[in-house]
Amino acid sequence: MTHLSIQNIHKSFGRAHALRGISFDVAPGEIVALLGPSGCGKSTLLSIIAGLEAPDQGQVFWEGASLAGIPPHRRGFGLMFQDFALFPHMDVYANVAFGLRMARLANDAIRPRLAEMLDLVGLAGFEGRDINTLSGGEQQRVALARALAPQPRLLMFDEPLGSLDRSLRERLIGDLHDILRRLHLTSIYVTHDQQEAFALADRVVVMNAGQVEQIGPPQEIYCAPRTPFVAQFLELANLLPADIREQDGGRVAHTAIGSFPIDAHWLGPAQLLIRPDAAQPGAQGPLVLHGTLQDLSFRGSLQRIWLNVNGTALTFDLPSTAALPPIGQEMALSLMPHQALQIFQQS
Ligand code: ADP
Ligand code: MG
């Protein structure tokens, strides 16, 4: 079964082609993240789903029925933005009750619903608090309670945590995940941050310049990026021009730093990805790189190194505990044979 179905959406603003044929479905209770760089069309797509903009071409369906011509307030969708747009002159109660008042719910019905919502977002008893006395994280929870209160059938988020610091973002993402799960609420979450998308979503839609690059569960996107763009966006940055040739009955990718046996069903120009997360120091195993340790950056849970191999700088993330030579010295790295190499056909 499908809740939301996006079918071949196109949208231009003057000469800017913001969306170029976007299609995907969202199942009931599913959390889908739209992930992509700034300007790739994420917010435009949300506006079209919400009914704030009309597509030039294509349609949005809810449970199989077209939403064309249905105004935003009759779609039953909720939206939450980065600048959560709380009303600063109202208290928490009035902010969260706003949507319910608009829906002409009686005060007697609003009060218990409100208490339930504040409890859900971890702000029980905050009804009377002045918005201006709340921390950024608390304001964010109020905005979430306000979005949840009218019981939307779809909830959409547009980079809602962008302005908060990292540890707070991580905690809110975890809480948001639990709340959406508990309510079995169909959701679309827009972000340019892969960590947020991975931590929250059942499936990720990676967008680039108004098009879908890849759709899949987080692990699949990360472990098997389908295009060089996706690999690069996920900071899997070692992409080398390669030429695929037949050799001893198999296929080999020839690059500036050597030749690598690969699985490919085509011959000719390609790009080889050497995954930064699939190497370890030492010269054991069938795939070994020799180079000069150019630079090192300690990141806590890992250490990122830059290795110069025949004039090409490659990046690798090694365990923090790995012993390394001084910068400027030679070292060997072993690549994990089944994970380290991925090949993309030149388009
Ligand atoms: P994202 O949310 O991924 O950063 P947007 O959907 O905001 O991307 O924008 C996609 C493209 O469409 C951008 O090039 C942006 O400048 C353009 N765009 C978005 N909205 C408008 C608008 N109202 N008028 C003109 N151009 C717009
Ligand atoms: Mg945006």
XYZ file of all heavy atoms in Angstrom, residues 13 18 37-44, ligand 1:
92
model
N 11.374 27.850 -12.296
C 11.159 29.246 -11.914
C 11.870 30.075 -12.970
O 13.100 30.129 -12.965
C 11.737 29.542 -10.533
C 11.110 28.719 -9.435
C 11.752 27.602 -8.938
C 9.882 29.078 -8.901
C 11.187 26.855 -7.912
C 9.307 28.328 -7.882
C 9.960 27.220 -7.392
N 14.067 23.756 -11.462
C 14.318 23.308 -10.085
C 14.058 21.812 -9.904
O 14.765 21.154 -9.162
C 13.453 24.107 -9.112
N 22.378 18.445 -1.718
C 23.017 19.736 -1.431
C 22.021 20.886 -1.552
O 20.952 20.735 -2.143
C 24.098 19.837 -2.509
C 23.633 18.951 -3.609
C 22.853 17.857 -2.970
N 22.389 22.015 -1.003
C 21.582 23.216 -1.093
C 21.295 23.536 -2.555
O 22.186 23.469 -3.393
C 22.344 24.354 -0.420
O 21.623 25.540 -0.555
N 20.045 23.840 -2.864
C 19.673 24.222 -4.228
C 19.241 23.068 -5.116
O 18.901 23.279 -6.275
N 19.225 21.843 -4.588
C 18.888 20.691 -5.446
C 17.386 20.521 -5.632
O 16.952 19.668 -6.411
C 19.521 19.405 -4.915
S 18.722 18.746 -3.437
N 16.562 21.305 -4.912
C 15.117 21.273 -5.152
C 14.290 20.667 -4.034
O 13.078 20.478 -4.188
N 14.898 20.398 -2.877
C 14.192 19.734 -1.785
C 12.986 20.558 -1.298
O 11.880 20.032 -1.178
C 15.159 19.483 -0.609
C 16.419 18.715 -0.984
C 17.325 18.480 0.218
C 17.914 19.734 0.856
N 18.851 20.485 -0.013
N 13.223 21.843 -1.008
C 12.138 22.679 -0.472
C 11.044 22.885 -1.510
O 9.856 22.937 -1.179
C 12.678 24.036 -0.020
O 13.578 23.861 1.044
N 11.454 23.009 -2.769
C 10.462 23.174 -3.836
C 9.542 21.955 -3.884
O 8.318 22.085 -4.005
C 11.178 23.353 -5.200
O 12.027 24.498 -5.119
C 10.175 23.538 -6.321
P 16.884 23.234 -1.634
O 15.723 23.300 -0.714
O 17.296 21.853 -1.998
O 18.048 24.029 -1.152
P 15.183 24.792 -3.390
O 14.008 23.931 -3.666
O 15.002 25.864 -2.391
O 16.453 23.884 -3.046
O 15.636 25.479 -4.757
C 15.853 24.782 -5.951
C 16.197 25.752 -7.050
O 15.049 26.515 -7.402
C 17.269 26.745 -6.669
O 18.064 26.991 -7.803
C 16.489 27.965 -6.267
O 17.231 29.132 -6.474
C 15.291 27.899 -7.197
N 14.075 28.489 -6.595
C 13.394 27.980 -5.554
N 12.310 28.732 -5.273
C 12.320 29.760 -6.157
C 11.468 30.876 -6.402
N 10.367 31.099 -5.678
N 11.801 31.713 -7.407
C 12.901 31.485 -8.170
N 13.743 30.463 -8.005
C 13.454 29.597 -7.013
